[in-house]
Amino acid sequence: MKLTTKLLAATAIVAASGAHATDLEVMHWWTSGGEANAVSKFADAWNATGNVWVDGAIAGGGDTARPIMVSRIIGGDPPAAFQFNHGRQAEELVEAGLILDITDVSEAEGWADIITPSSLLDSCTYDGRVFCVPVNIHSWQWMWLSNAAYENAGLDVPTTWTEFAASADALREAGVVPLAMGGQSWQQNGAFGVMALALAGQEAWLAVNQDKNAEVVMGPEYTRVFEAFGAARSLSDGLNVQDWNQATAAVIDDTAGAQIMGDWAQGEFALAGEVAGTDYSCLPGLGEVALLDTGGDAFFFPVTGDPEIEAAQKELAALLLSPAVQVSFNSAKGSLPVRPDVDLTTVNECTQKGLDLLASGAMVPAGTQLLAPDTVTQLNDLMTEFWSTPSMTPAEVQQQYADIIADAE
């Protein structure tokens, strides 16, 4: 699939890209089974143009991959494209002039009229210029539950966090770990963020993450969250895994009752042949507050100084948002497309819940769009320390959390 006629007419450089095949190295951290299946949809579509997708997957997740990508870029050996979360992660690279301006592609393709919600394109825009292409909407705000684990324990599948917490003892008696949690720090902080939005509510969550209001962190709404998160620490005892997809596998294998994880977990369920509503259930907003945060992934394109590479980079940027590619990729990834004009009539019931929430406007920006990367790192470290230190009290972590938010940019 090539660029639209409008874009070909708009830039001679892009028009020249169709003349011969171009190899593009694309770096990303999608290495689990479901993620690899999803990214192959991008690769297949790019290769079908006669160009070549050179896969630069980095295992270990974003915390491992991002420093490697940045090192390549500032070291003068950049890939042609790289995945970050859309938001503030690439600000310094853009400010340093190391990222290709793709405003011409955005304007020619009409991204401002296509991409929904508009905050996704805003997250790619710096000083009025567009520097990345958002490719999906990923929301952290989900809990996934094993239907068989509950059935075997003689329990109904919970419909809220409150019901889930009440079911934990009975799950233990049935030999099931109530809550699957991996060991990476972003998982603990991510789960806390889900609980904060679900239990403290939208107003308090926005006051903390958007307005950086440390007083709200110390208020009664967030006190409830810290206490609930503290009580949840023991629910993962008995499951010793590191990666998020290993925790998802415990839910798939029915050895864990539930997992708080973003909708990318659906890629693992799909790859395992699990059927939403039959083998597993899903609770947006933990069944307490049905809201989605509109995070996700975007591709940035480093400046290379090579006109041929630049033309191919812009061609790839447009292809990633083409309707057919949006459907194939997001269907495999478990995410939602960034354009609402594509046919998703065959999606499962969990994805449909997400689409319905987006259509109703029940959404907030993702933390990565509101908090600087350094702040996110500090919160990741704090919440994983709390999760793994039973002697650390909710009141202690609450004060430290408030201190970080008070200093946040």
Side-chain angles (χ1 to χ4, degrees), residues 188-259:
Q188 285 88 47
N189 188 38
F192 177 82
V194 175
M195 293 179 65
L197 187 56
L199 301 180
Q202 180 178 3
E203 183 177 349
W205 187 91
L206 285 172
V208 171
N209 291 275
Q210 182 170 270
D211 302 332
K212 318 300 190 291
N213 190 327
E215 292 183 4
V216 175
V217 176
M218 297 303 296
E221 295 91 351
Y222 260 69
T223 295
R224 178 191 179 197
V225 182
F226 284 104
E227 290 176 348
F229 195 65
R233 284 183 292 190
S234 64
L235 300 185
S236 65
D237 290 348
L239 181 69
N240 184 21
V241 296
Q242 183 72 8
D243 296 335
W244 70 268
N245 52 303
Q246 294 174 312
T248 306
V251 179
I252 292 172
D253 294 340
D254 310 319
T255 56
Q259 179 190 25

Side-chain angles (χ1 to χ4, degrees), residues 16-59:
S17 71
H20 45 302
T22 304
D23 294 1
L24 293 186
E25 181 189 9
V26 184
M27 299 185 75
H28 59 87
W29 59 77
W30 290 325
T31 57
S32 76
E35 290 173 325
N37 179 51
V39 77
S40 72
K41 309 304 181 184
F42 282 154
D44 291 346
W46 181 243
N47 292 337
T49 68
N51 296 295
V52 178
W53 176 287
V54 180
D55 200 69
I58 301 173

Side-chain angles (χ1 to χ4, degrees), residues 102-379:
I102 56 172
T103 306
D104 54 348
V105 184
S106 175
E107 292 177 346
E109 293 290 293
W111 287 355
D113 298 322
I114 292 172
I115 295 173
T116 303
S118 60
S119 61
L120 302 182
L121 188 58
D122 292 343
S123 291
C124 285
T125 304
Y126 302 81
D127 293 332
R129 308 298 293 176
V130 177
F131 289 90
C132 68
V133 50
V135 296
N136 60 10
I137 301 169
H138 263 320
S139 176
W140 249 106
Q141 307 302 317
W142 295 89
M143 183 159 70
W144 312 95
L145 304 107
S146 164
N147 289 1
Y150 278 90
E151 181 180 349
N152 294 339
L155 301 169
D156 293 332
V157 177
T159 59
T160 65
W161 173 262
T162 302
E163 292 179 3
F164 166 73
S167 74
D169 288 343
L171 283 178
R172 284 283 189 200
E173 292 176 5
V176 176
V177 174
L179 184 64
M181 179 71 75
Q184 296 157 316
S185 61
W186 63 267
Q187 296 181 58
Q188 285 88 47
N189 188 38
F192 177 82
V194 175
M195 293 179 65
L197 187 56
L199 301 180
Q202 180 178 3
E203 183 177 349
W205 187 91
L206 285 172
V208 171
N209 291 275
Q210 182 170 270
D211 302 332
K212 318 300 190 291
N213 190 327
E215 292 183 4
V216 175
V217 176
M218 297 303 296
E221 295 91 351
Y222 260 69
T223 295
R224 178 191 179 197
V225 182
F226 284 104
E227 290 176 348
F229 195 65
R233 284 183 292 190
S234 64
L235 300 185
S236 65
D237 290 348
L239 181 69
N240 184 21
V241 296
Q242 183 72 8
D243 296 335
W244 70 268
N245 52 303
Q246 294 174 312
T248 306
V251 179
I252 292 172
D253 294 340
D254 310 319
T255 56
Q259 179 190 25
I260 300 174
M261 186 51 60
D263 51 16
W264 49 90
Q266 282 217 90
E268 303 302 304
F269 285 108
L271 199 63
E274 298 268 293
V275 177
T278 300
D279 300 305
Y280 68 97
S281 297
C282 53
L283 296 180
L286 305 185
E288 304 283 351
V289 176
L291 287 169
L292 299 183
D293 61 338
T294 52
D297 303 289
F299 279 90
F300 293 77
F301 305 88
V303 171
T304 66
D306 184 328
E308 180 183 337
I309 295 296
E310 181 177 317
Q313 288 171 316
K314 292 183 176 183
E315 183 179 359
L316 176 59
L319 181 141
L320 295 174
L321 276 190
S322 61
V325 174
Q326 276 285 290
V327 171
S328 62
F329 169 75
N330 284 291
S331 295
K333 191 70 165 61
S335 50
L336 304 176
V338 300
R339 51 186 305 164
D341 59 343
V342 296
D343 182 9
L344 289 172
T345 55
T346 60
V347 299
N348 67 40
E349 67 174 52
C350 291
T351 300
Q352 189 59 54
K353 287 181 181 180
L355 291 170
D356 291 344
L357 288 171
L358 287 180
S360 71
M363 53 190 170
V364 296
T368 53
Q369 295 172 278
L370 302 175
L371 299 173
D374 180 62
T375 300
V376 174
T377 297
Q378 291 180 63
L379 293 176

